[in-house]
Amino acid sequence: MERERGTGGMEAGELGDVADALRELGDEARESVARLADELELERRMAESPMVVLGVAAAAGLVLGGGLWPLLRPMVRMAARAALSPTNLLALGAAVGAMRAARAREATSGAGPEGSSVPSTH
């Protein structure tokens, strides 16, 4: 006895289950959006200042849609190029070495910042 197969190799009963689950998910999503709109008092805000709501929605769409990346790409490239330049890497290495040497000097002398012999100016 062979079972009837639907699209994608799924049985007919499984397709119905998937369709029901998707329908329920859609209903839950609509309810969540309605609750969010109620919490944000979206209708009142739209009535009071529709241009502000439109601006916020446009900005959110731009950010979520990746619209800022073309504008930010040149700045990110310049910052990465500057940070990874040989001169800056040498300076960073020298700074790390100086900090390690200072810590080692404090550890061997036993005098940390609290036990320093420099008189207080208070």
Side-chain angles (χ1 to χ4, degrees):
M1 186 162 120
E2 197 172 297
R3 293 184 180 173
E4 201 174 309
R5 295 270 179 195
T7 58
M10 296 179 81
E11 295 180 13
E14 291 174 337
L15 285 176
D17 293 342
V18 170
D20 291 341
L22 288 175
R23 211 171 291 116
E24 288 177 17
L25 182 64
D27 292 341
E28 289 177 17
R30 278 188 283 282
E31 289 174 11
S32 296
V33 168
R35 276 194 309 262
L36 180 65
D38 288 343
E39 288 179 17
L40 294 177
E41 300 174 344
L42 202 54
E43 289 181 19
R44 181 187 60 83
R45 291 178 196 265
M46 270 299 284
E48 289 177 2
S49 53
M51 295 308 285
V52 171
V53 174
L54 180 64
V56 169
L62 181 71
V63 169
L64 294 175
L68 288 180
W69 179 242
L71 300 173
L72 295 176
R73 186 181 315 155
M75 289 183 270
V76 170
R77 281 186 182 162
M78 287 186 326
R81 199 173 292 140
L84 298 176
S85 73
T87 305
N88 286 343
L89 290 175
L90 286 173
L92 184 62
V96 169
M99 288 188 314
R100 285 184 178 170
R103 274 195 229 129
R105 197 173 331 125
E106 287 175 1
T108 57
S109 68
E114 300 85 22
S116 174
S117 61
V118 178
S120 177
T121 57
H122 293 185

